[in-house]
Amino acid sequence: MKIAVVGTGYVGLVTGTCFAETGNQVTCVDIDERKVEKLRKGKLTIYEPGLDVIFDRNTKEGRLKFTTNLAEGIKDAQVIFLALPTPPGEDGSADLKYILGVANDLGPLLENYAVIIDKSTVPVGTAEKVRERVAKNAKVEFDVVSNPEFLREGVAVEDFMKPDRVVIGTTSEKAKKVMEKLYAPLVRQGNPIIFMDERSAEMTKYAANAFLAMKITFMNEIANLCEKAGANVDDIRRGIGTDSRIGKRFLFAGIGYGGSCFPKDVQALEKTANEFDYDFKILKSVMKVNEKQKTKMMPHVKAYFDGDLKGKTIALWGLAFKPHTDDIREAPALYNIKELRKAGAKVVVYDPEAMENVRGVVGKKVKYAKSPYEAIEGADALMIMTEWPEFRTPDFDKMEAALKNKVIFDGRNLYELKDMRDLGYTYFSVGRDTVK
Ligand SMILES: NC(=O)C1=CN([C@@H]2O[C@H](COP(=O)(O)OP(=O)(O)OC[C@H]3O[C@@H](n4cnc5c(N)ncnc54)[C@H](O)[C@@H]3O)[C@@H](O)[C@H]2O)C=CC1
Ligand SMILES: O=C(O)[C@H]1O[C@H](OP(=O)(O)OP(=O)(O)OC[C@H]2O[C@@H](n3ccc(=O)[nH]c3=O)[C@H](O)[C@@H]2O)[C@H](O)[C@@H](O)[C@@H]1O
């Protein structure tokens, strides 16, 4: 099948590369000339495990191409994915200017029947708006389908190639057949394609993200209560996760959810509720709790140093909003850097993949270390912000030699409490210990 993907970011590049891998002819379109230039030279623009191998194969074998020209990109395409940004607008609702802008341009460029697919996360009713915009100038028949994406960064290729389910919103039989053919290689193991109307598919995406954000937030509140009540959130996670109605995943307490999607999508769903005159109270609480959770270690840090962080050096392990990605959008680490600097502390940071992105945002306000041990050399304390595997089993002898004080503020519960006590550390984690 000939496919065009408009927007070549995290979702567009993974979508394009994976569909090239399943034998399609894919052209990715992006307005960012530098991005397209780099991709054309065979260099990836994002860090995503496993993407490099299939990207290399499909560009070399000519199934995956890149352009900045929309007309060239969509020529003869049977399906056109819109994988464009939907950032929060001024009031927090999803800004559709990128999607509707491209929809305006598409009409006159269509030469044959095509299925236009909203891959971006868009509010209920967007497929209808896209249809109207395209229809204004289109001379040929077309369909607009909602096909939200559920991949996670860091495991995007695996999630895309083996999705738990594929959700497709359409009432057109013709579009349904095209979509079934396109996704057939990804649902061979019996994982379903779930068909529904466009509005339900759009809402499904927000419901999934909001539910997961709520699940994490619930555990963070349980963890906060555990600290007061003398219970251990790890035991509670195991105790409830084994109930198949609850499930084991997304129950890890920590310093809040970040990333480009949960924060903006919870907010956007709440705004959609407002539009329909519905007061979505749970979502409001989720946002409020998560905001506070991100810097929940700060009071402990301040208390440990008797309220005075001036001149203290605090090392941060982990900057990305989660492991296996270089993405720092809404990363809890950024909020902690800000708070630490406000309190007068010097900050040294280390992350295996996200250092360049942080340099772009924070610049010279922090020091960048080349290794986790360089970051803690002479530091007064260590804070852990992201659960990268390499932080899980550190060389504790090296750690002890480097740190000025044996104190760790662990926002991701990486170590066993007993081990840390045996090693003589003052060890703060989330929800596992009574905290006064
Ligand atoms: N990042 C993720 O893990 C996931 C994101 N989503 C959703 O997918 C959508 C895209 O997200 P990302 O890929 O993360 O965004 P991104 O910001 O990484 O990529 C968007 C790309 O679109 C390009 N673009 C902007 N205007 C354009 C135009 N007029 N023509 C062509 N290209 C244009 C940008 O240059 C950029 O490369 C959003 O709605 C997001 O909520 C859904 C599931 C997962
Ligand atoms: O719409 C999106 O963009 C995507 O958003 C999330 O994916 P992603 O943001 O890449 O990452 P997650 O693995 O979901 O983690 C999000 C945040 O939750 C935090 N988290 C996750 C799980 C957990 O148990 N506890 C917890 O604090 C992570 O540290 C991270 O900050 C969803 O999981 C994807 O299904 C969805 O497609």
Side-chain angles (χ1 to χ4, degrees):
M1 211 180 278
K2 180 139 189 337
I3 297 175
V5 181
V6 187
T8 314
Y10 276 92
V11 170
L13 188 56
V14 172
T15 302
T17 309
C18 289
F19 277 131
E21 178 71 2
T22 56
N24 299 290
Q25 189 66 43
V26 180
T27 305
C28 293
V29 185
D30 205 285
I31 43 161
D32 185 335
E33 285 176 14
R34 276 173 47 203
K35 200 175 260 191
V36 169
E37 197 49 43
K38 199 168 167 191
L39 290 163
R40 275 182 164 163
K41 284 186 183 144
K43 293 200 180 85
L44 275 176
T45 42
I46 54 167
Y47 169 74
E48 193 55 60
L51 188 61
D52 48 354
V53 178
I54 52 173
F55 174 82
D56 280 351
R57 183 168 40 240
N58 287 285
T59 45
K60 282 187 186 128
E61 291 175 8
R63 280 189 299 274
L64 182 60
K65 298 207 165 95
F66 301 93
T67 179
T68 51
N69 185 314
L70 184 64
E72 181 191 316
I74 68 152
K75 190 159 174 50
D76 301 328
Q78 290 144 289
V79 300
I80 302 169
F81 280 98
L82 306 183
L84 294 153
T86 48
E90 265 173 36
D91 67 347
S93 58
D95 187 346
L96 292 178
K97 69 171 182 255
Y98 301 98
I99 301 272
L100 298 181
V102 170
N104 277 334
D105 297 341
L106 276 178
L109 300 176
L110 293 177
E111 289 171 353
N112 304 299
Y113 170 78
V115 181
I116 298 167
I117 304 168
D118 284 339
K119 194 58 156 164
S120 300
T121 302
V122 289
V124 71
T126 303
E128 288 148 45
K129 289 183 186 159
V130 170
R131 191 174 296 123
E132 275 165 26
R133 302 290 174 117
V134 180
K136 261 197 258 164
N137 303 307
K139 289 177 235 65
V140 295
E141 193 198 340
F142 68 92
D143 275 307
V144 178
V145 165
S146 165
N147 168 219
E149 180 51 53
F150 299 97
L151 65 79
R152 289 161 300 163
E153 291 182 18
V155 271
V157 173
E158 205 186 315
D159 279 353
F160 195 92
M161 289 301 216
K162 296 178 194 160
D164 284 349
R165 78 313 203 176
V166 174
V167 169
I168 295 173
T170 183
T171 45
S172 152
E173 279 305 313
K174 197 168 174 183
K176 198 173 162 188
K177 285 206 179 77
V178 174
M179 297 303 283
E180 264 169 342
K181 192 171 163 203
L182 182 64
Y183 274 103
L186 309 187
V187 292
R188 285 215 176 98
Q189 288 171 341
N191 39 342
I193 299 183
I194 305 170
F195 286 100
M196 56 186 78
D197 62 49
E198 293 92 327
R199 292 177 86 88
S200 304
E202 289 162 342
M203 187 75 96
T204 299
K205 171 65 195 179
Y206 281 105
N209 273 6
F211 188 85
L212 292 168
M214 179 187 73
K215 197 173 178 188
I216 297 165
T217 304
F218 179 82
M219 284 313 277
N220 285 339
E221 290 227 273
I222 290 286
N224 296 344
L225 181 56
C226 282
E227 289 174 6
K228 291 188 186 291
N232 185 330
V233 74
D234 278 349
D235 292 333
I236 292 154
R237 175 174 49 78
R238 285 192 289 267
I240 66 171
T242 36
D243 184 330
S244 60
R245 291 169 303 173
I246 294 173
K248 294 189 176 76
R249 299 168 75 187
F250 275 68
L251 288 179
F252 289 87
I255 45 170
Y257 61 78
S260 64
C261 291
F262 282 176
K264 86 167 166 61
D265 292 347
V266 172
Q267 187 176 238
L269 184 56
E270 202 266 324
K271 289 291 163 199
T272 299
N274 278 350
E275 264 173 51
F276 290 98
D277 208 14
Y278 183 74
D279 184 14
F280 209 142
K281 293 193 185 74
I282 296 179
L283 295 185
K284 285 183 185 154
S285 296
V286 167
M287 288 187 277
K288 217 162 131 191
V289 172
N290 194 60
E291 220 30 56
K292 204 159 170 219
Q293 196 74 9
K294 287 184 212 164
T295 50
K296 82 165 254 124
M297 284 292 163
M298 280 308 295
H300 305 322
V301 179
K302 285 182 182 159
Y304 181 85
F305 292 105
D306 294 328
D308 188 11
L309 287 183
K310 284 200 189 71
K312 299 281 184 257
T313 300
I314 311 294
L316 253 60
W317 279 4
L319 299 167
F321 81 97
K322 63 181 237 179
H324 308 293
T325 177
D326 59 354
D327 197 338
I328 56 162
R329 290 179 279 186
E330 293 293 321
L334 297 180
Y335 290 83
N336 285 279
I337 289 174
K338 203 168 157 200
E339 290 292 311
L340 287 166
R341 291 197 68 254
K342 208 160 84 188
K346 291 180 199 146
V347 183
V348 187
V349 301
Y350 173 75
D351 187 285
E353 294 295 337
M355 302 275 269
E356 276 318 301
N357 284 341
V358 169
R359 214 187 288 271
V361 180
V362 178
K364 290 185 179 152
K365 290 178 187 153
V366 301
K367 267 176 87 177
Y368 300 89
K370 290 195 182 69
S371 74
Y373 300 102
E374 188 185 305
I376 56 174
E377 189 61 51
D380 291 281
L382 167 63
M383 291 179 83
I384 299 173
M385 301 277 107
T386 317
E387 65 276 31
W388 281 97
E390 65 180 281
F391 302 151
R392 282 187 189 276
T393 48
D395 180 333
F396 281 109
D397 290 335
K398 261 172 117 174
M399 192 186 250
E400 188 172 340
L403 275 172
K404 253 196 220 164
N405 306 297
K406 286 175 86 170
V407 58
I408 300 177
F409 302 91
D410 179 359
R412 298 293 178 189
N413 290 0
L414 293 194
Y415 312 126
E416 291 299 328
L417 283 180
K418 187 178 173 312
D419 293 349
M420 299 313 282
R421 281 202 193 111
D422 290 349
L423 287 167
Y425 275 87
T426 303
Y427 178 62
F428 290 87
S429 56
V430 181
R432 300 191 299 175
D433 219 354
T434 309
V435 179
K436 301 223 161 51

